[in-house]
Amino acid sequence: MFFSGFPHMVGLSFFPRLCQLTIVDQNIKRIEELEGCPLLQELWIVQCHLTEISGLQNCLQLEKLYLYDNKISEINNLEMQVKLEVLWLNNNCITRIQGLNTLKNLKELNLADNLIEKIGHGLDSNVRLENLNLSGNKINSFKELTPLSHLSHLREFALNDPVSTPNPVCLLCNYATHILYHMPGLQTFDTYDVSCKQVKETAESAVMKKMMYYNMRVRTLQRNLAETKLSLTETKKDLLQLPEECITILSYSLKCLERELSRAPFNYKKSDCFLEEPRGTTHLEGNSTEGSDSTTDISHDPAAMEHKIQRKIDALKGRLKLWNMRLDEVEALYEQVLAQATNRVEYMVEFLLTELESVGNIRLEEGCPTDPWFTSCSDLLFSRFSPSDFKIYGIADIKVDRVVRVHNSALRLRFEEKLHSLLDKEENVFTCSLDYRRHLDYLFYIPNLEKNEKEETLSILEEGFRTAEQTKALGRDYAVPLSNSLYVAEQPRIEHALHQASQSKQTTDPVPFRHGHVIVCKVFVGNSTLVQDGEPVERSSYLSFTSMYRNIDTKHRTAMKTSQYNETHPGPDCNPHRRQWFVFDHELVLPEFIIIFEYITGEKQQYTLLNQSPGRNTAMSNDILVDKEVLNMEPVLKPQPRLLSLDDKILLNAARANVLSQITVLNLHGNSLSRIKEISSLTALRHLTISFNKFTHIDDISQMPDLEYLDASFNQLVTLEGLRRLGQLKQLDVSWNKLTKARKEASVLRKHTPALLKFDTRHNPWNKPEMVRLTILGRLTTLTHLDEVLVAEEEAAKAVQMAAGSKISQVSLLAHSRIDGERPRSLSLLSTAQLLCYLTPAPWRPRKELEPDWTAKITTLNLDNQRIPKLINLNTLVNLRWASFNDNEISKVEGLECCLKLEELSLNNNSISIFTGFAGLTCLNKLSIDGNKLTNLDPTVFDQIPNLSFLSMENNCITSLHGIQRLGSLLELYIGNNQISTSRDIYCLKGLTNLIILDLYGNPLVEKLENYRIYVVFHLTSLKVLDGIAVEASESENVKNMFRGRLTTDTVVEKLGHSNYTEITHLTLQSCSIRTVDLSAELFCNLHSVNLDHNNLTSFSGLIYLPSIKALCLNYNHVESILPRQKTQAHLTNKQILHSKVHSSGYGQQGPSKANRDTGPASSLEPLMGSLEVLHLSHNGISNMANLQLSRFTNLKALFLQGNEISQVEGLEGLHQLRELVLDRNRIKVLAKDSLRSQNALIELHLAGNRIRELNHFSPLIELHKLFLDANKLQDVTELGKLEVLPALTELSVVGNPVARNSLHRQAVMLCLPQLQFLDGVVITPEERTRAQLLSTDPSPSTHHPGASLPTVDINLLGPLPLMPHNTALRGMSTSGGQQTFMYGYDILQSNVDEDHQTFICKKNKYSKVARSGQMDINFQYNRRTGGNLTATGLPDGNSDVFGYSQQDQDSRLMPKWW
């Protein structure tokens, strides 16, 4: 029916077989006349005026129902339509999703364009839903969308389709990510295709990273709380020390007096003297015993003495009562401060969880005093604090502790939207004014203390303030109550706190409301009006107003005011604008800040746990004086000798008895006993006192059937296991000992003391002291008093119930297990086991018979805080995937052999000491074992859990991470507060290439390791978070710049694979980009040779501290000096500055002046590296030898400087032991007079590949045997004649010089150097020497002119020149103990010869002519291996010099230009 004129549904009863009905655009207001259409399957009533859903009770076959474009405000009356699959209710006035619980078959639901703000649990039952449209509503929180994650069949979902306005939540950040994570089965989202697997994986990855980040931050807060607790515990321990010492002294004296009473000759016997309640404190005025005898004999006047003893006992008990009160005060104060710290951390944790659940759209930022908004908030609070208001409470000032800034995108959008809409409606009111901002104000709100304060605060920060209707329903005003005065806002809280304090007996702070917080809200008050006192706040009476206010006059302020009062903060003492505001529209109130503050009292010093008041310390001193007076009261007992052991005689004397079998009371107080085996014969003993001895065990006290009373206080007991068969024991005192395991001790007593009535366990270092009382009462059901407190029936019943549930039984499995197959899609940091048990009910119905294999269905088990001592009865849980056993008493991981599908396991806060029991758990990916007693980790266990991605082992005693590198899949590692102390453990973590979160906080390593953070960040490059602080990209770059290239002990360990530093004698680390060396001289005391070729060293760095270095290779680095030099150009000449910028300028770096060289700094500096003998510095770009300070190496015997930029030989003054000097391939033109003046012991000198033209100043080298001048610019034979000053010269090489072009220099050289044995690598034979002498007699004029070439005429020789055989080596010992090798032939050198070697290949008719053998080609290779050879140490042969010139390799650096 599509036409108008059908205002009512009539006549439909005539169509009983009607299956489909469509009514469009009619004036129908209700559904009727469908009772006669039982077969109706599809119904359309759209664009009508329906106001409710009704009249469908007989349409049981209905499958599709379309009621869109109506005025329906509530979903109801659909309970009977169980076959309904399609329901369209879009474009109505619906505000709440409800009434759909019975529609189990519903597949499509359209609720677009309604007024829905919350989804709640209205769709929990519609698990078959496939298509859901909620576009055009008012949903503004991600929290409302989370419940939809259980709709596993949902494929199409819309919150922002093109034909509707978007929900506010669609405007928030990470909107799509949140939806896709919680609904991974979606195929279409907001009309977009999201079926791609990559889209889902991206969303999953983003959420996982967020959860890891917030988990890390929560752990950081919890760690900080643990540190605070530890600090408070230490402070409490210090505060308790004096009272405990006083109690010990007083108790000792008291027990001594009681012992004397039991021994006294008068008939005084009071068997319950230890049991009676302490009497009142006796006033001690006039009772001083000064001047009296220090000891008293109690045998004189028994009655008077008894009275004195009893009087002193009463006084001692009074003092003990006072000191016990002091203990209680400190304990109460400790609990109070700890509760405040805990409350603060809980708030911060809730803030973080709120951030996580809102996917960052709600962010709570902690401020610091440097933030401008922090200062603004502080100033705002101070300006609205009037000291006179609080003077009645003793408050003089206020201090801001913290300020938290609230970032809530949804609330801010709502506030701005509402404000703009209001301004549009009331345009004439506000736009005519200069600025509507005058109606904006910051007001204070204090949560309602009658409700959960924390819960309300978090609700306000997340969802905003309640509506006026909701506020009215709570019995408050019909508006949001606010104030511009701190006193007005705080008054209800102050009164509530004072009332609570008056009800409590343990309040120690005179200002119980000292700590508070206020929510600072941005408020648009708009049109406001005054409301008088007593007048109700009702919106109906003030429809044209946005808000109301009430002026507040603090009546008591005028009376309290004094003229001498000085205000702490500026501001009027009487504020005429002190008001209480009431805002009707909650959307106009935006929470922006939380200010946490503390009231300051008028005292100069606050009384806190960490800061005791001077008055209290004075009172303590007075109490000590009073104690001394009491202890000096008469009678003062004689000191008695301490017993070390017992025998029958001593026992009889102590008990004042004649026969052992008659002893019923024995007091051995105040001795030094540690064993009492002798009392086993006292079968009649009923009372035994062994206080103030040295017992650690009491296993000697057994099989005493009549023993009723045992006092073992003030000893050193660590266990009660020695007690046996004490069937009549009724009272036991083990206070002031060292007992730690309440469960264990209670089990011993339950077995051997079945009649125990009174038990005192105070002042022992119990594990988990908060559970000691319930643990003991749950096992010792006969007790009537525990720690001198009467045991109530309710308390005993609770303890017994708790003890019964401490074993894993069928009952506990039924109560704490779940059978869910997937982890809920929830942004929660709870473990999966905790989350499932929190969100879903137990699947086992009570009183229903269980299936035989019901345990095989269990996937989740949460047995936290059940006091479980052992993991048992888990062998049938074959499908267990998530398990949590936190806060129990488990000492060993066992019983999990059959749980092979286990994925998550939590064992926090137990007593596990051995890391084992995980065999077969290959599916395990999360393991948490915090707060146990682990000391080491078995590497083989890591092989059993290869898929672990999360590992937490905080608060243990672990000393090493050896083997943890086997967990290659690890992403998160929390191992703070352990005993890891060496940087070697960081190298264990380098194998974890996927590790992104690491927490090592609280380990000794953090304090011991210099530059700890940058060290860790440098070595673990994948790390994103360290110790709760994110690793920024800039930090990583800075770390690389600072730490890259450092050679440390850890680097050596990483390269060598062991840490036996003292056994290392040779070290080779080539091409490792090393820039600095930082090795310990003590650890590397036996290191003899080091090869650091091809690195980035600019100085010797830490190498100078190594005491045993003999050979050092630093080739191919950038060494400028021994020690790092300050780079400055202030003293350089213009030429030197030019050269530093352009090396090809030709000027070279000029050395210091002659005077400076003679008296240079090197000569006055202390020697270094006294053991160094061989030093390689080739190819370092060295241009100034003086800057190297080589003279400090006084023991140096071989120095290699080839391949540098040296132009002047200098700085060798201190090298008197030098035997070999290599300066090949530099820029040397001439040797100065003083260049080699100190090298008298030099045996071998290499100057090949330079620019030498003249051979002057060689005379100091009287021991020189070998001189190599190849590839220089020597042109005249007479220059070679200058070498006659070298008397020991036996080998000379000038190959590659102009003078050696035709090889006719040989005769001249042989004549002037008769001692020469080798020339240019060829041995000088006697025949050749004779031939030269014959030539010298030739009168040819050419021989009389220096520099003239030798004739080329044929000469008859005695024989051919003896050439070395092809590839034959001639070996001889070098000066440093190495070998020399001369190889002749055409072959290239072996591959082990590095690029540092050079080879001369003499070409035919170009490089050599020998008399009549001028046509002969002499090609040879010259290979020298000197004493600098480190091949024995495993280093490359970098000490050799091999000069090579091939046809492709003749550059101007090594050969003359004209060559």
Side-chain angles (χ1 to χ4, degrees), residues 1260-1271:
L1261 308 180
I1262 58 177
E1263 296 294 332
L1264 190 67
H1265 286 60
K1266 301 177 182 181
L1267 177 61
F1268 300 92
L1269 296 168
D1270 308 294

Side-chain angles (χ1 to χ4, degrees), residues 713-910:
S713 59
F714 294 96
N715 277 282
Q716 301 172 18
L717 296 178
V718 295
T719 182
L720 299 180
E721 286 189 355
L723 295 177
R724 294 287 187 276
R725 299 182 183 180
L726 303 179
Q728 296 299 319
L729 189 65
K730 295 181 174 59
Q731 184 169 344
L732 175 61
D733 187 353
V734 292
S735 59
W736 298 95
N737 278 282
K738 297 183 179 181
L739 301 173
T740 58
K741 301 177 180 179
R743 183 190 184 96
K744 179 181 177 181
E745 314 307 344
S747 299
V748 171
L749 295 178
R750 178 175 60 179
K751 182 177 181 180
H752 297 286
T753 61
L756 191 64
L757 300 177
K758 297 182 178 181
F759 188 27
D760 195 341
T761 66
R762 292 172 295 174
H763 306 294
N764 279 281
W766 298 109
N767 296 332
K768 301 180 181 178
E770 67 279 0
M771 296 300 299
V772 169
R773 186 171 180 87
L774 286 177
T775 300
I776 293 176
L777 292 178
R779 284 156 179 78
L780 303 180
T781 56
T782 59
L783 286 181
T784 59
H785 292 77
L786 178 59
D787 298 338
E788 294 189 355
V789 177
L790 184 66
V791 178
E793 293 183 3
E794 298 80 4
E795 184 182 26
K798 179 181 178 181
V800 171
Q801 182 180 3
M802 186 193 75
S806 62
K807 291 183 179 180
I808 301 179
S809 60
Q810 177 175 318
V811 175
S812 60
L813 289 178
L814 289 172
H816 302 286
S817 64
R818 300 292 186 270
I819 58 174
D820 304 74
E822 297 293 336
R823 175 187 168 92
R825 289 272 169 173
S826 173
L827 296 179
S828 173
L829 298 182
L830 295 175
S831 66
T832 305
Q834 295 169 334
L835 185 62
L836 284 171
C837 290
Y838 173 74
L839 294 178
T840 60
W844 323 107
R845 296 182 181 179
R847 300 179 183 177
K848 183 179 180 181
E849 185 177 356
L850 296 172
E851 300 177 6
D853 60 341
W854 67 276
T855 54
K857 297 181 179 181
I858 294 177
T859 60
T860 307
L861 185 60
N862 180 20
L863 289 172
D864 291 350
N865 201 21
Q866 298 297 313
R867 318 301 295 173
I868 297 171
K870 190 175 182 180
L871 296 177
I872 58 174
N873 298 330
L874 301 177
N875 55 324
T876 59
L877 276 61
V878 293
N879 290 309
L880 184 66
R881 297 175 61 188
W882 307 290
S884 181
F885 303 100
N886 298 334
D887 301 296
N888 287 288
E889 298 177 2
I890 301 169
S891 59
K892 184 179 180 182
V893 181
E894 57 187 346
L896 300 174
E897 296 81 7
C898 298
C899 306
L900 302 181
K901 296 183 179 180
L902 199 61
E903 298 177 13
E904 293 184 17
L905 178 60
S906 184
L907 293 161
N908 299 335
N909 302 321
N910 282 280

Side-chain angles (χ1 to χ4, degrees), residues 939-952:
T940 60
V941 176
F942 295 129
D943 295 331
Q944 301 169 0
I945 45 178
N947 296 312
L948 205 63
S949 62
F950 175 98
L951 177 60
S952 182

Side-chain angles (χ1 to χ4, degrees), residues 193-211:
D193 182 11
V194 292
S195 59
C196 177
K197 182 180 179 180
Q198 185 178 0
V199 174
K200 310 291 180 59
E201 290 178 348
T202 302
E204 183 89 14
S205 175
V207 172
M208 287 299 102
K209 290 179 180 178
K210 282 289 185 183
M211 293 182 68

Side-chain angles (χ1 to χ4, degrees), residues 447-460:
N448 186 5
L449 296 177
E450 297 178 358
K451 305 296 181 182
N452 189 318
E453 181 183 3
K454 183 188 302 182
E455 182 178 341
E456 183 180 4
T457 300
L458 294 172
S459 176
I460 290 172

Side-chain angles (χ1 to χ4, degrees), residues 1136 1149-1157 1160-1161 1184 1186-1187 1208 1210:
Q1136 290 171 325
Q1149 284 193 358
Q1150 298 179 7
S1153 64
K1154 181 178 184 299
N1156 291 339
R1157 290 196 302 268
N1184 192 321
N1187 291 340
Q1208 186 170 344
E1210 56 186 341

